[in-house]
Amino acid sequence: MTGPAQHAARPWPWTAIAAGAVPVLAALTLLLLPMAVLALPEPETAAAPTDCSPAGTGTTVAGVALDAVQMGHAQTIADVAAARELPAYAVTVALATAWQESRLRMLANDGSSPELTPEQAAVTATSLGFAHDGIGSDHDSVNLFQQRWLAGWGSVAQLMDPVHAAEAFYARLVAVPGWQTVPLTRAAQAVQVSAAGGAYARWEPFARELTGVVWPAASARAADPAGAVDGLCPGLAVAAGSWVRPTAGTVTSGYGARWGTLHAGVDLAGSRGTPVYATADGTVVRAACTSAYCDRDGGLGLPGYGNLVEVDHGGGVTTRYAHLSAFTVPAGQPVRAGALLGYQGSTGNSTGVHVHLEVRVDGAPVDPVPFLAERGVDLAAAPAG
């Protein structure tokens, strides 16, 4: 039996006990309520998760596993908002939108949509010549937010820049009347004018939690642009002076003579897009394409390192990270051990996806394996986590 009749049939002692408990519960409520109010989280962001991967670029947010590429784009979206002095809620709206539109991937477009004229298709397909994480075919839409060059969001070249994409999104967001107080899905839809405008609301809890991960670093960078770049996960600090493994993967080619010349580093082979981290604190002294082209894979006939990042660690020690598919830091940027530098690729003089790691002392290359072993890093061992 359930319902009111069941409660009416209970013996009287329960009624007496319940009546006596009322003032006690009321007192406890008065005592605990201020503590609960003090313990409430900030309304705009959720606490950052703690199950972050080593070096802090991949994590799980609201049950969704994000890789380093997605986290890098999320951080860029947050950095642009912080630089514009926008509140964290703007980041939440942007992240919910980008997740719905692209799953936080920079999408190129092959121009195959039947809605495009041949001329429009040709212009849209030029997006394939820029760095991208996947290919779409929805009208002339490209990038994280699926912005359309035909709708006045910018040129294809501009839209394939994640920073421009985020800035364009925020420029339209802040023009929405009351955007900071209207429901997220309404704010996002006012910007996107999507055929599935109600879908953004589904991702609000996810976007709030992800904002909690990337917003602290974005705020710190906006407050001190010259400050050192941390890894994307705030829960994994690396002790000052420490050295870390630069990337996941297997050593496939060691230091020494190869094909009649000196192979001045070691090759660590992993999956395309595997994150590459700074091995120690330092300053980026070079971040550039060093070959004739770096927008696609190279080969043995192409000279140069491809996309290269070089970090000066002081004391005459520098490290080089070559053949990257893309790099995420500019020259002159201070970095800490474990900061994201870029992603494994096969640009330049390369025949497969890997990162070529060099260690140089006073300009001369040394074998990275014993050098890092002396500093507690075993390149031959499988990376943890």
Side-chain angles (χ1 to χ4, degrees), residues 43 102 187 306:
S102 71

Side-chain angles (χ1 to χ4, degrees), residues 9-118:
R10 286 176 178 170
W12 69 267
W14 289 109
T15 306
I17 292 172
V22 169
V24 176
L25 291 173
L28 286 173
T29 300
L30 291 174
L31 176 64
L32 295 175
L33 184 58
M35 297 174 63
V37 171
L38 290 174
L40 285 174
E42 291 294 325
E44 292 189 328
T45 62
T50 57
D51 53 345
C52 300
S53 64
T57 57
T59 188
T60 299
V61 176
V64 178
L66 300 173
D67 62 25
V69 174
Q70 292 166 308
M71 288 298 292
H73 292 319
Q75 189 66 63
T76 296
I77 289 171
D79 288 348
V80 171
R84 291 174 60 102
E85 299 183 347
L86 296 174
Y89 181 61
V91 181
T92 300
V93 177
L95 291 176
T97 303
W99 186 258
Q100 168 65 23
E101 298 293 344
S102 71
R103 293 301 187 265
L104 279 171
R105 303 284 187 193
M106 276 296 290
L107 299 182
N109 189 320
D110 61 10
S112 63
S113 171
E115 305 295 329
L116 301 177
T117 66

Side-chain angles (χ1 to χ4, degrees), residues 61-318:
V61 176
V64 178
L66 300 173
D67 62 25
V69 174
Q70 292 166 308
M71 288 298 292
H73 292 319
Q75 189 66 63
T76 296
I77 289 171
D79 288 348
V80 171
R84 291 174 60 102
E85 299 183 347
L86 296 174
Y89 181 61
V91 181
T92 300
V93 177
L95 291 176
T97 303
W99 186 258
Q100 168 65 23
E101 298 293 344
S102 71
R103 293 301 187 265
L104 279 171
R105 303 284 187 193
M106 276 296 290
L107 299 182
N109 189 320
D110 61 10
S112 63
S113 171
E115 305 295 329
L116 301 177
T117 66
E119 293 77 14
Q120 292 169 343
V123 173
T124 301
T126 62
S127 62
L128 298 171
F130 298 89
H132 56 275
D133 311 320
I135 300 173
S137 59
D138 179 20
H139 292 79
D140 55 315
S141 302
V142 296
N143 73 27
L144 297 163
F145 300 97
Q146 291 292 275
Q147 294 162 340
R148 301 180 59 184
W149 65 272
L150 284 171
W153 285 92
S155 68
V156 171
Q158 289 174 321
L159 295 180
M160 290 306 292
D161 174 4
V163 173
H164 174 90
E167 288 177 339
F169 179 87
Y170 290 131
R172 296 199 182 189
L173 176 64
V174 298
V176 176
W179 70 270
Q180 296 190 56
T181 56
V182 301
L184 180 147
T185 194
R186 283 179 53 192
Q189 174 63 358
V191 174
Q192 297 292 108
V193 193
S194 169
Y200 303 114
R202 175 185 176 189
W203 306 114
E204 183 168 358
F206 162 81
R208 286 188 180 276
E209 189 167 324
L210 183 53
T211 301
V213 177
V214 295
W215 185 245
S219 300
R221 186 176 286 116
D224 182 13
V229 174
D230 285 317
L232 296 181
C233 178
L236 283 175
V238 178
S242 297
W243 288 71
V244 300
R245 199 179 206 277
T247 190
T250 304
V251 176
T252 56
S253 183
Y255 177 91
R258 189 176 74 175
W259 304 331
T261 60
L262 175 65
H263 184 232
V266 296
D267 293 343
L268 293 161
S271 302
R272 186 181 299 274
T274 299
V276 177
Y277 312 120
T279 56
D281 298 350
T283 301
V284 177
V285 293
R286 181 163 45 162
C289 174
T290 62
S291 298
Y293 58 84
C294 293
D295 61 341
R296 56 193 183 277
D297 288 353
L300 288 179
L302 181 65
Y305 287 103
N307 282 320
L308 173 71
V309 172
E310 184 171 4
V311 179
D312 184 353
H313 304 286
V317 178
T318 60

